[in-house]
Amino acid sequence: MILPISNFNNKHNFQGNETEKKKLAYDKDTLLKNNFATRTRIGFDKFTNALTLYPAKGLKGDKNANFYEFLTMGTVPYIVGSLMLMSVFNSANKYFAPFARSKAGAIGRKMALGVLFYGLLKPITKTFVTQPVKWLTGIDTEVPYAKVNYELPDDISDTDITSIEYHKAYESKEFPRWDLFYKSEANGDTRNEYFDKVAKRIGLGENLNDSDQEVKPLIKKIAVKTDMAKTLSSYLWAATGVAYAFQSPWENYFNVATLKFWKFNKFKHSLKVLKDTAVDSAKEFWKGQKGAKGWEKHTGKIMFALAAASSVLGVINAVSVKKPSKSNNQDIIQKDRKSVVN
């Protein structure tokens, strides 16, 4: 997202009038609320830029094109590839004999549904780890922020331009954006308010002299463990979604499925069948298909248990950090000694 900047020469403080300030979404790097509205806005902004602005900048060799824009454009081939994977197993069905067409169609539609479930569950199930960690520790490892980049002008008539990038405050584990979490004492806030809350939540106590210095190493460890856990568990949940999509009851829905909502009765009936099919498929996934014997009857249970265990154990591991020992100075310094020998 490219926005004009006014009053750039005033040390980027933007001390101009209110009209000038309102032209900018952000006048400095800003921590954002991690809620559905913010995530939706960020996702929409990044996707539209990945389709339009970023490819244009890259193709013309814009000197302001950067690695963030390159990575953001990766969502486009991901979606295009998913659609192609859905269609490749269904496009040729019309050339088959009727019996073969019905068999191929059933498998193709299940594969398409599996791709859909994989794409939905992979990002959604990351919250199975990140949200419990946030509740237990007060640390939101997914909290986003808007980064303001000051760019070089493309034309002599361009005075000042800026671009907005969306990152996560704990994106870098070595160099998190600690500065965004400090409060402004000029506004009457406590500078270490965030770190005080985290320290209390994870059991370091209250009224610490330097809560930020004591909490930061622990936050890093929690962020690393949380990222590892959410990645592992999200893939297992996505694989579980693919397995769920291949249950035989889904064929009942495919036979009546329609997106023609203007044909209200048929559309309403398809929604009812969808609900029943989803329940029946879940039962078959859990109990096993008819005729299944031995361990094959329990593959669904095993898959679900592995995914659930990865989330639960990941959360437990993430919040289990070794707290620094609280040593008493009197145990270290002996006041009656006149000298210290190293």
Side-chain angles (χ1 to χ4, degrees):
M1 180 172 62
I2 302 297
L3 298 171
I5 292 184
S6 59
N7 204 19
F8 178 80
N9 293 323
N10 195 7
K11 297 182 180 179
H12 308 312
N13 287 330
F14 304 98
Q15 299 298 327
N17 58 44
E18 291 300 318
T19 303
E20 288 176 331
K21 291 180 182 179
K22 290 178 181 177
K23 291 179 182 178
L24 290 172
Y26 309 99
D27 61 0
K28 61 181 180 179
D29 292 359
T30 305
L31 200 66
L32 306 176
K33 292 182 179 180
N34 186 12
N35 52 35
F36 179 77
T38 302
R39 292 193 297 269
T40 302
R41 178 169 55 84
I42 291 174
F44 178 78
D45 188 63
K46 292 176 71 173
F47 182 68
T48 53
N49 284 338
L51 284 175
T52 56
L53 180 62
Y54 297 161
K57 289 177 67 177
L59 289 173
K60 75 176 185 179
D62 193 315
K63 55 182 170 290
N64 290 312
N66 57 33
F67 193 56
Y68 166 82
E69 297 174 358
F70 172 76
L71 291 179
T72 303
M73 286 190 291
T75 58
V76 177
Y78 182 86
I79 294 174
V80 172
S82 298
L83 294 175
M84 290 183 65
L85 190 60
M86 289 180 179
S87 64
V88 72
F89 294 101
N90 295 282
S91 300
N93 290 351
K94 59 184 178 181
Y95 300 108
F96 298 161
F99 180 75
R101 185 186 308 157
S102 64
K103 294 296 182 182
I107 296 175
R109 288 190 290 268
K110 287 180 181 179
M111 293 195 73
L113 188 63
V115 172
L116 178 63
F117 283 169
Y118 180 93
L120 290 175
L121 285 174
K122 193 168 178 289
I124 291 174
T125 53
K126 290 179 179 180
T127 60
F128 293 176
V129 174
T130 58
Q131 281 299 320
V133 169
K134 179 182 176 181
W135 295 331
L136 293 170
T137 65
I139 302 168
D140 185 1
T141 59
E142 299 291 296
V143 62
Y145 75 94
K147 177 178 174 59
V148 180
N149 283 341
Y150 303 108
E151 299 188 335
L152 297 171
D154 293 323
D155 188 81
I156 194 171
S157 61
D158 294 335
T159 55
D160 307 302
I161 55 174
T162 184
S163 67
I164 304 297
E165 296 179 3
Y166 294 103
H167 296 271
K168 294 176 182 177
Y170 296 113
E171 195 170 77
S172 170
K173 303 303 180 290
E174 289 298 321
F175 304 101
R177 288 299 305 270
W178 300 123
D179 56 302
L180 299 176
F181 292 97
Y182 287 105
K183 299 291 185 179
S184 174
E185 293 180 336
N187 297 330
D189 298 322
T190 304
R191 177 174 169 77
N192 283 0
E193 180 181 336
Y194 169 76
F195 299 102
D196 289 340
K197 290 180 179 179
V198 172
K200 181 180 178 181
R201 189 74 68 87
I202 63 179
L204 291 181
E206 301 181 63
N207 302 319
L208 302 177
N209 291 331
D210 297 297
S211 59
D212 54 342
Q213 299 305 314
E214 295 200 35
V215 164
K216 284 178 181 178
L218 300 181
I219 291 179
K220 283 185 178 182
K221 293 179 182 179
I222 291 172
V224 169
K225 291 182 177 182
T226 302
D227 271 13
M228 179 183 68
K230 77 176 183 183
T231 301
L232 176 61
S233 67
S234 65
Y235 278 110
L236 287 173
W237 281 113
T240 303
V242 174
Y244 174 57
F246 271 80
Q247 304 307 306
S248 56
W250 284 112
E251 297 175 15
N252 298 328
Y253 171 68
F254 295 143
N255 293 330
V256 300
T258 180
L259 295 177
K260 298 177 180 179
F261 57 88
W262 55 89
K263 295 183 178 180
F264 183 73
N265 290 332
K266 288 186 177 180
F267 183 70
K268 181 180 177 182
H269 177 66
S270 70
L271 291 179
K272 181 180 182 303
V273 175
L274 173 62
K275 182 188 71 172
D276 296 339
T277 299
V279 173
D280 293 340
S281 296
K283 291 178 179 178
E284 184 176 272
F285 175 76
W286 185 258
K287 296 179 180 179
Q289 296 182 353
K290 293 181 179 179
K293 297 180 180 179
W295 65 271
E296 292 181 355
K297 293 181 62 177
H298 306 290
T299 52
K301 297 185 183 72
I302 295 171
M303 197 75 184
F304 181 84
L306 284 174
S310 68
S311 295
V312 174
L313 294 177
V315 171
I316 294 173
N317 180 58
V319 301
S320 301
V321 291
K322 187 177 180 181
K323 302 178 181 63
S325 60
K326 298 180 180 179
S327 301
N328 191 334
N329 289 337
Q330 294 180 355
D331 298 334
I332 301 174
I333 301 175
Q334 299 180 17
K335 296 181 179 179
D336 57 341
R337 297 288 296 270
K338 296 182 179 179
S339 63
V340 177
V341 178
N342 292 328

